[in-house]
C-alpha cells in the first residue's frame, strides 16, 4: 500500500521529562485537552500506562525521533483511528516528517473532520458500541520507515511510473477494579484537515510498535500500577483520652 494520510493541523509537542512511551523511532504521549496537560506515564512490569479522567477529551501526540519520514498506523481500543476497521498494521495511517510531531485528536471521519477522542465507560466506547469491546484500554502505534528510493539509473528507466497513486486503503485480562474499565468514545465533530500522500513501506512488518495502556486512576491504583502516597504519621505511645468500650 502506497497511500497514507498526512495531518495538516498545526502541531505542538507538549511532552516533557519521562511522560512518554519511548521507542527508537517515535515517542507517544497522551494530552488531556480538558486539563491542558500531558498525562504522566507509569511504567509497571514492562508496560506503559496513563490514567484518564472519564469525560475528558484527549489527543494522541506522536513525535518522530528520526531524520526521515515515517508512517504511523494508530490503533485505539483495537480500532484503526483512520479507517474504523478492526486494527491491523497493514492499514492506513499518518505520515510524519523528519523530527516532526503530530496531534491526532479523534477518529477520522473525512479529509476535513474528526470525531473527538474522550475517556468514557467501556459500554460507551466506540469499540464496544461497534461490537468490539475486547481490546478497549490500549493505544498502539505501528511505525514504518519509507522504502529507499531506487538507484539513479533505475529511477531513469522507471520515470514513467513516478507520480502514480494507488487508491486509498479502506481508509489484557483485567484484575480487580473499583470502577468500570475506561474506553475511548466517539465525540464531537471538529475540523482536522488531512490529505493523501504516497508512502511505500520498507517492510510489510512494522519497524517498531509502541504500546500505551490506559484506564481510570482508581483502577490503575487497584492493579498496583500507581501507588498512592501514604500519609506520614508517627504512632503515639500516650494518646489522650479514656478507655472506650470495645466494639460489639
Amino acid at each position: 500500500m502506497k497511500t497514507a494520510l498526512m495531518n495538516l493541523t498545526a502541531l505542538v509537542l507538549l511532552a516533557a521529562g519521562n511522560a512518554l512511551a519511548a521507542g527508537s523511532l517515535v515517542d507517544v504521549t497522551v494530552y488531556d485537552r480538558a486539563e491542558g496537560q500531558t498525562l504522566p506515564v507509569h511504567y509497571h512490569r514492562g508496560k506503559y500506562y496513563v490514567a484518564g479522567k472519564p469525560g475528558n477529551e484527549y489527543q494522541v501526540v506522536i513525535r518522530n525521533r528520526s531524520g526521515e519520514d515515517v508512517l504511523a498506523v494508530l490503533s485505539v481500543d483495537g480500532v484503526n483511528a483512520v479507517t474504523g476497521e478492526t486494527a491491523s498494521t497493514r492499514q492506513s495511517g499518518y505520515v510524519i516528517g523528519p523530527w516532526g510531531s503530530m496531534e491526532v485528536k479523534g477518529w477520522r471521519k473525512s479529509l476535513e473532520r474528526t470525531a473527538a477522542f474522550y475517556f468514557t465507560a467501556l459500554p460507551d466506547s466506540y469499540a464496544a458500541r461497534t461490537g468490539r469491546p475486547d481490546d478497549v484500554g490500549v493505544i498502539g502505534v505501528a511505525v514504518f520507515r519509507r522504502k529507499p528510493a531506487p538507484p539513479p539509473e533505475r529511477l531513469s528507466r522507471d520515470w514513467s511510473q513516478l507520480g502514480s497513486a494507488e487508491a486509498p486503503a479502506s481508509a489484557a485480562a483485567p484484575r480487580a477494579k473499583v470502577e468500570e474499565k475506561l474506553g475511548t468514545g466517539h465525540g464531537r465533530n471538529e475540523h482536522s484537515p488531512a490529505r493523501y500522500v504516497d508512502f511505500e513501506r520498507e517492510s510489510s512488518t512494522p519497524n517498531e510498535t509502541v504500546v500505551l495502556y490506559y484506564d481510570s486512576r482508581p483502577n490503575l491504583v487497584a492493579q498496583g500500577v500507581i501507588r498512592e502516597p501514604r500519609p506520614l504519621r508517627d504512632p503515639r505511645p500516650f494518646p489522650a483520652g479514656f478507655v472506650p468500650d470495645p466494639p460489639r
Side-chain angles (χ1 to χ4, degrees):
M1 182 201 67
K2 289 187 177 180
T3 308
L5 290 174
M6 180 170 285
N7 195 321
L8 304 181
T9 306
L11 307 174
V12 179
L13 183 64
L14 297 168
N18 63 349
L20 49 80
S24 60
L25 290 177
V26 301
D27 293 335
V28 180
T29 61
V30 174
Y31 181 77
D32 187 313
R33 299 172 65 184
E35 303 289 339
Q37 64 178 359
T38 298
L39 297 179
V41 170
H42 306 273
Y43 186 75
H44 180 69
R45 295 182 178 178
K47 297 179 179 179
Y48 297 100
Y49 295 83
V50 295
K53 186 176 181 179
N56 284 12
E57 292 182 346
Y58 74 89
Q59 62 199 32
V60 180
V61 182
I62 308 169
R63 180 171 67 95
N64 183 358
R65 303 180 67 189
S66 74
E68 58 183 323
D69 288 348
V70 297
L71 172 66
V73 179
L74 174 61
S75 165
V76 177
D77 293 350
V79 179
N80 185 295
V82 172
T83 69
E85 298 171 288
T86 299
S88 164
T89 59
R90 300 185 297 274
Q91 295 163 350
S92 295
Y94 290 104
V95 175
I96 308 175
W99 312 112
S101 60
M102 173 169 293
E103 298 169 352
V104 184
K105 297 181 178 180
W107 309 101
R108 172 88 20 211
K109 306 300 294 181
S110 70
L111 291 179
E112 298 295 329
R113 315 293 296 182
T114 55
F117 294 144
Y118 68 95
F119 295 116
T120 188
L122 189 153
D124 184 51
S125 68
Y126 177 72
R129 291 172 65 188
T130 55
R132 297 168 289 181
D134 292 346
D135 296 306
V136 167
V138 62
I139 296 167
V141 180
V143 187
F144 295 85
R145 289 191 175 96
R146 188 188 291 275
K147 184 177 180 179
E153 61 275 10
R154 182 178 176 183
L155 184 63
S156 63
R157 291 198 299 269
D158 294 341
W159 184 256
S160 62
Q161 302 282 337
L162 298 181
S164 61
E166 298 177 0
S170 297
R175 294 166 64 181
K177 302 291 181 70
V178 297
E179 61 181 36
E180 193 159 33
K181 184 175 176 62
L182 209 60
T184 296
H186 183 281
R188 65 188 174 97
N189 194 281
E190 55 186 340
H191 185 61
S192 180
R195 62 184 174 87
Y196 287 115
V197 295
D198 284 343
F199 189 98
E200 188 168 2
R201 307 174 193 218
E202 179 183 72
S203 169
S204 60
T205 57
N207 295 102
E208 176 176 83
T209 301
V210 180
V211 179
L212 190 57
Y213 297 88
Y214 71 91
D215 208 334
S216 66
R217 183 177 183 87
N219 287 352
L220 293 182
V221 170
Q223 295 175 39
V225 174
I226 299 176
R227 295 186 178 181
E228 295 280 20
R230 295 182 178 179
L232 297 178
R233 179 183 176 277
D234 291 330
R236 297 173 294 170
F238 300 103
F242 298 98
V243 178
D245 293 335
R248 293 185 178 181

